[in-house]
Each structure stands twice: as C-alpha cells, then as structure tokens.
Amino acid sequence: MPNDPRSPLADAGAPTPQMTPDDSPADTAAATSTAAADPAPADPAADLAAQLKKAEDEALEMKDAWLRSRAEIENVRRQGQNDVTKAYKYAIEKFAQELLGVKDSLELSLAADSASPEALKAGVELTLKQLAAAFDKAQIKEVSPLDAKFDPHQHQAMAMIDSDKPANTVVTVFQKGYLLNDRVLRPALVAVAKAAEAKG
C-alpha cells in the first residue's frame, strides 16, 4: 500500500521531493546531479597552518639577515676605530723620518773633533737646510713679521716701543712663529710700535 504511513519509505524518514506542476522529471534529476557534483569546502585549518609556517620561515630569514647586518656593522665600526687609532698614533711618522736625517747631521758635526769653525758652520747650515726641507714637506711655515702690521692671531706682543714706523707695526722679532697648515703652532714674539698719541 503506497499511501500507508507505516511503509518502509516513511519509516526511513527519507525526504520525498515535492513536485510542482511546473517541474518536470528532467529538471528534478538535473538539480539532484548538480547538488551531488558540488565539491566539499576546503579545510581552513590546513590553509592557516601553511600560512603560519610560511610566516615563520620568513621571520627566521629576516632575523638571520638582521644578525648578519649587525655583525657587519660592528666589524666596520671596529675597523674604523683601529684606523683612527693608527692615524693618531703614527700621524707624525713621515715628519719623524725627515728629522732623522737632521739628527744624523748634527751628530756627525759633533763627532768631528778636528773640524775647523768654517767646516762646522757649513755643517750647521746644511743641517738647517735639511730641517727647512722637512718643515716644507710637513706644511710648517715660518712666521717672521718684521715691518708687518701686528696680527694678534699670529703674533704675541712682548713690548710697545717708540718708533718712527706707523703704530701697530712690528719693529722687532724676538722669536719667530710657525704655522701648520695655516694653524698657529707658535706665535711670533714681537715688539710693536706705539701709537702716536702714546709717545713721549
């Protein structure tokens, strides 16, 4: 009895497709096959795990690159410190080498017991030329400002004296001064002419 509610189909609880007058058996079959063909949704947990693994790998790579960069910067810093230390320690090496010849000449002059005064004078003059050449190579310039205008940046006035020369003119040089690349190593010690109103 197909309409008996106690039939096996009714007990199984299987849904019975409801057909409307507009539905044909072909449409119902197509809908059933389409529903069966839809793929099952992807597992989101597996996708998240893959993304997490990729992010962890990238983080490790970035950390490794950062550590390498930090180590390289530290090496450059240490090398720079070593270079500065060496430059400071051996800054006068070339000048010192030039002075060795001057010292040798002085020692030879002193060792010549039987040398005449003229020979000693010639030796001293030669030694002075060696020293002047060493100064030139080291950019050390002599400051001897006789008859020049007094310059407080390069000269040190030891006295003010009466003179026929214009006021603030250097009239006597007690000790020469020296410049190193235009920087004062030692000011020249001078006497300067008094101003006209200060005379008498």
mmCIF file of all heavy atoms in Angstrom, residues 15 38 45-46 55 66 69 75 80 84 115 121 123 141 153 156 170 182-183:
data_model
loop_
_atom_site.group_PDB
_atom_site.id
_atom_site.type_symbol
_atom_site.label_atom_id
_atom_site.label_comp_id
_atom_site.label_asym_id
_atom_site.label_seq_id
_atom_site.Cartn_x
_atom_site.Cartn_y
_atom_site.Cartn_z
ATOM 1 N N PRO A 15 13.575 12.155 2.639
ATOM 2 C CA PRO A 15 12.756 13.253 2.112
ATOM 3 C C PRO A 15 12.201 12.871 0.758
ATOM 4 O O PRO A 15 12.873 12.262 -0.060
ATOM 5 C CB PRO A 15 13.745 14.414 2.010
ATOM 6 C CG PRO A 15 15.087 13.781 1.916
ATOM 7 C CD PRO A 15 14.993 12.506 2.694
ATOM 8 N N ASP A 38 28.799 19.306 -6.429
ATOM 9 C CA ASP A 38 29.492 20.394 -5.714
ATOM 10 C C ASP A 38 30.577 19.807 -4.826
ATOM 11 O O ASP A 38 30.329 18.881 -4.053
ATOM 12 C CB ASP A 38 28.481 21.161 -4.849
ATOM 13 C CG ASP A 38 27.570 22.031 -5.713
ATOM 14 O OD1 ASP A 38 27.949 22.282 -6.875
ATOM 15 O OD2 ASP A 38 26.497 22.442 -5.212
ATOM 16 N N ALA A 45 41.713 24.965 8.483
ATOM 17 C CA ALA A 45 42.803 24.752 9.427
ATOM 18 C C ALA A 45 44.107 24.442 8.697
ATOM 19 O O ALA A 45 45.184 24.928 9.057
ATOM 20 C CB ALA A 45 42.449 23.624 10.389
ATOM 21 N N ALA A 46 44.024 23.620 7.646
ATOM 22 C CA ALA A 46 45.235 23.281 6.890
ATOM 23 C C ALA A 46 45.804 24.514 6.201
ATOM 24 O O ALA A 46 47.023 24.716 6.141
ATOM 25 C CB ALA A 46 44.911 22.191 5.867
ATOM 26 N N ALA A 55 55.011 32.246 7.259
ATOM 27 C CA ALA A 55 55.350 33.453 8.019
ATOM 28 C C ALA A 55 56.525 33.202 8.955
ATOM 29 O O ALA A 55 57.414 34.047 9.110
ATOM 30 C CB ALA A 55 54.126 33.945 8.803
ATOM 31 N N TRP A 66 69.181 40.234 9.618
ATOM 32 C CA TRP A 66 69.444 41.313 10.569
ATOM 33 C C TRP A 66 70.695 41.039 11.394
ATOM 34 O O TRP A 66 71.513 41.929 11.613
ATOM 35 C CB TRP A 66 68.231 41.485 11.480
ATOM 36 C CG TRP A 66 68.433 42.522 12.545
ATOM 37 C CD1 TRP A 66 68.375 43.870 12.409
ATOM 38 C CD2 TRP A 66 68.751 42.276 13.929
ATOM 39 N NE1 TRP A 66 68.625 44.486 13.603
ATOM 40 C CE2 TRP A 66 68.854 43.536 14.549
ATOM 41 C CE3 TRP A 66 68.945 41.128 14.680
ATOM 42 C CZ2 TRP A 66 69.154 43.665 15.904
ATOM 43 C CZ3 TRP A 66 69.242 41.259 16.021
ATOM 44 C CH2 TRP A 66 69.344 42.509 16.623
ATOM 45 N N SER A 69 73.725 41.649 9.232
ATOM 46 C CA SER A 69 73.950 43.081 9.042
ATOM 47 C C SER A 69 74.536 43.715 10.297
ATOM 48 O O SER A 69 75.444 44.540 10.219
ATOM 49 C CB SER A 69 72.635 43.774 8.672
ATOM 50 O OG SER A 69 72.125 43.274 7.466
ATOM 51 N N ASN A 75 81.783 45.060 12.673
ATOM 52 C CA ASN A 75 83.130 44.899 12.120
ATOM 53 C C ASN A 75 83.631 46.194 11.498
ATOM 54 O O ASN A 75 84.798 46.574 11.665
ATOM 55 C CB ASN A 75 83.133 43.777 11.075
ATOM 56 C CG ASN A 75 82.958 42.410 11.698
ATOM 57 O OD1 ASN A 75 83.230 42.207 12.883
ATOM 58 N ND2 ASN A 75 82.486 41.457 10.920
ATOM 59 N N GLY A 80 87.053 50.952 11.763
ATOM 60 C CA GLY A 80 87.172 52.412 11.770
ATOM 61 C C GLY A 80 87.902 52.906 13.007
ATOM 62 O O GLY A 80 88.746 53.803 12.917
ATOM 63 N N VAL A 84 91.466 54.986 13.034
ATOM 64 C CA VAL A 84 91.639 56.269 13.713
ATOM 65 C C VAL A 84 92.776 56.197 14.720
ATOM 66 O O VAL A 84 93.600 57.110 14.826
ATOM 67 C CB VAL A 84 90.321 56.691 14.403
ATOM 68 C CG1 VAL A 84 90.542 57.884 15.312
ATOM 69 C CG2 VAL A 84 89.264 57.021 13.366
ATOM 70 N N ALA A 115 137.457 69.477 13.247
ATOM 71 C CA ALA A 115 136.853 70.310 12.206
ATOM 72 C C ALA A 115 137.095 71.781 12.513
ATOM 73 O O ALA A 115 137.091 72.215 13.668
ATOM 74 C CB ALA A 115 135.352 70.040 12.127
ATOM 75 N N LYS A 121 130.476 75.485 10.649
ATOM 76 C CA LYS A 121 129.429 76.395 10.198
ATOM 77 C C LYS A 121 128.737 75.844 8.946
ATOM 78 O O LYS A 121 127.504 75.883 8.826
ATOM 79 C CB LYS A 121 130.005 77.778 9.918
ATOM 80 C CG LYS A 121 128.952 78.786 9.499
ATOM 81 C CD LYS A 121 129.564 80.156 9.260
ATOM 82 C CE LYS A 121 128.480 81.150 8.822
ATOM 83 N NZ LYS A 121 129.055 82.495 8.561
ATOM 84 N N GLY A 123 128.495 72.746 8.123
ATOM 85 C CA GLY A 123 127.688 71.605 8.540
ATOM 86 C C GLY A 123 126.366 72.032 9.171
ATOM 87 O O GLY A 123 125.313 71.430 8.903
ATOM 88 N N LYS A 141 105.177 76.427 8.216
ATOM 89 C CA LYS A 141 105.665 77.680 7.648
ATOM 90 C C LYS A 141 106.168 78.605 8.747
ATOM 91 O O LYS A 141 105.599 78.666 9.837
ATOM 92 C CB LYS A 141 104.544 78.377 6.859
ATOM 93 C CG LYS A 141 104.041 77.564 5.683
ATOM 94 C CD LYS A 141 102.919 78.293 4.951
ATOM 95 C CE LYS A 141 102.386 77.481 3.787
ATOM 96 N NZ LYS A 141 101.263 78.170 3.088
ATOM 97 N N HIS A 153 96.361 87.257 15.908
ATOM 98 C CA HIS A 153 96.119 85.828 15.688
ATOM 99 C C HIS A 153 97.421 85.058 15.441
ATOM 100 O O HIS A 153 97.460 83.845 15.633
ATOM 101 C CB HIS A 153 95.172 85.628 14.499
ATOM 102 C CG HIS A 153 93.834 86.267 14.687
ATOM 103 N ND1 HIS A 153 92.919 85.841 15.615
ATOM 104 C CD2 HIS A 153 93.268 87.343 14.077
ATOM 105 C CE1 HIS A 153 91.837 86.598 15.568
ATOM 106 N NE2 HIS A 153 92.023 87.521 14.635
ATOM 107 N N GLN A 156 102.502 87.668 19.149
ATOM 108 C CA GLN A 156 102.308 87.960 20.561
ATOM 109 C C GLN A 156 103.201 89.143 20.908
ATOM 110 O O GLN A 156 104.437 89.054 20.829
ATOM 111 C CB GLN A 156 102.668 86.750 21.424
ATOM 112 C CG GLN A 156 102.433 86.991 22.918
ATOM 113 C CD GLN A 156 102.697 85.748 23.741
ATOM 114 O OE1 GLN A 156 102.781 84.641 23.193
ATOM 115 N NE2 GLN A 156 102.833 85.902 25.046
ATOM 116 N N VAL A 170 105.189 95.863 13.542
ATOM 117 C CA VAL A 170 106.183 95.041 14.230
ATOM 118 C C VAL A 170 107.567 95.605 13.931
ATOM 119 O O VAL A 170 107.990 95.655 12.772
ATOM 120 C CB VAL A 170 106.085 93.572 13.770
ATOM 121 C CG1 VAL A 170 107.197 92.743 14.404
ATOM 122 C CG2 VAL A 170 104.722 92.988 14.125
ATOM 123 N N ASP A 182 98.334 76.629 8.070
ATOM 124 C CA ASP A 182 97.645 77.884 8.410
ATOM 125 C C ASP A 182 97.096 77.904 9.833
ATOM 126 O O ASP A 182 96.331 78.809 10.186
ATOM 127 C CB ASP A 182 96.511 78.181 7.419
ATOM 128 C CG ASP A 182 97.020 78.361 5.998
ATOM 129 O OD1 ASP A 182 98.143 78.887 5.842
ATOM 130 O OD2 ASP A 182 96.315 77.965 5.057
ATOM 131 N N ARG A 183 97.464 76.945 10.632
ATOM 132 C CA ARG A 183 97.096 76.955 12.050
ATOM 133 C C ARG A 183 98.343 77.280 12.865
ATOM 134 O O ARG A 183 99.426 76.738 12.608
ATOM 135 C CB ARG A 183 96.531 75.597 12.454
ATOM 136 C CG ARG A 183 96.098 75.519 13.911
ATOM 137 C CD ARG A 183 95.472 74.173 14.212
ATOM 138 N NE ARG A 183 95.036 74.062 15.585
ATOM 139 C CZ ARG A 183 94.426 73.009 16.097
ATOM 140 N NH1 ARG A 183 94.169 71.959 15.329
ATOM 141 N NH2 ARG A 183 94.060 72.986 17.355
#
